[in-house]
Structure formats: C-alpha cells, structure tokens
Amino acid sequence: YRLSDDMVTIYEPPQRNAGILGGKFLERTRVAKPGSSIDNPLYYAPQDFVIGRTIEIFKHKFILTDADEYVLKYAERHADTFPKETLDSLKKKHSKIPAENTDEKQ
C-alpha cells in the first residue's frame, strides 16, 4: 500500500512445486473493497492492512504476511489513526512486543 497515492501493488511469493511462479500480481492500482458500489466506492486504506489478515482484491484472496520497518514507524507516529489490531500486528512482526503481551494468549 502506498501512502502517497492510496494505491496497492501486490507481489506473490513463489511456491515451489505448485506451478505458481510468483512475482508481481498487481501493479500500482487504487483498489475498491469488495461489495462497494461503482457510484460510491470504498477504497482500501492503511487501516485495512493487518498482518495475518486476508483481503480480497479483484476476486482473489491474499494473506498479508509482511510490512517493512518504515510502515511500523509511520503507524507508531500516527497511532491515533490506526486501529490497535493493525499497530499490534506490525509490532509483533517486528518483535516490538513480546508474544505474551498480545491478545493472542492461549
């Protein structure tokens, strides 16, 4: 997700022996959420991207697996605009919070 223009680029990891080459799936496109209308589309926003969440883009489902350190730093600086779930998923990915302090206790 690009903060500067609200566009999405998707890269799929290659899957060995699965017949999937991986690489770029979607080039820099503004993506409406499934079920939104053509007349009044609801677009994906930074708050929608939680590591581990599945999102649907053009009838294809993707599991968000990673975000870089810049994303975490940005979200921390603007914590009031991000849901706790999004911020926690970034912190967990970058080991900023111990596993026992997350809501995922078993």
Side-chain angles (χ1 to χ4, degrees), residues 55-98:
I55 60 169
E56 185 177 325
I57 296 180
F58 304 130
K59 300 190 187 232
H60 294 272
K61 293 183 180 182
F62 297 91
I63 299 170
L64 302 175
T65 60
D66 202 0
D68 61 28
E69 187 85 17
Y70 175 82
V71 174
L72 171 60
K73 290 177 182 177
Y74 180 88
E76 286 178 326
R77 284 193 313 272
H78 300 91
D80 57 324
T81 64
F82 285 87
K84 184 179 182 317
E85 179 186 19
T86 302
L87 195 53
D88 285 350
S89 77
L90 292 166
K91 287 179 179 178
K92 185 176 178 184
K93 179 68 179 179
H94 291 281
S95 302
K96 297 267 182 167
I97 57 174

Side-chain angles (χ1 to χ4, degrees), residues 5 10 15 32 54 106:
D5 57 11
I10 297 175
Q15 295 180 18
T54 300
Q106 294 188 9

Side-chain angles (χ1 to χ4, degrees), residues 4 9 24 45 50-51 56 70 74 84 87 91 102 105:
S4 62
T9 301
K24 194 178 289 186
V50 176
I51 295 174
E56 185 177 325
Y70 175 82
Y74 180 88
K84 184 179 182 317
L87 195 53
K91 287 179 179 178
T102 66
K105 290 182 182 177

Side-chain angles (χ1 to χ4, degrees), residues 9-71:
T9 301
I10 297 175
Y11 293 92
E12 287 188 291
Q15 295 180 18
R16 188 175 173 165
N17 295 327
I20 298 172
L21 297 176
K24 194 178 289 186
F25 174 84
L26 181 68
E27 176 67 50
R28 199 173 161 170
T29 304
R30 193 162 183 216
V31 181
K33 294 180 182 182
S36 63
S37 70
I38 294 172
D39 297 330
N40 190 21
L42 296 172
Y43 293 101
Y44 281 108
Q47 296 80 0
D48 296 311
F49 296 94
V50 176
I51 295 174
R53 180 177 284 170
T54 300
I55 60 169
E56 185 177 325
I57 296 180
F58 304 130
K59 300 190 187 232
H60 294 272
K61 293 183 180 182
F62 297 91
I63 299 170
L64 302 175
T65 60
D66 202 0
D68 61 28
E69 187 85 17
Y70 175 82
V71 174

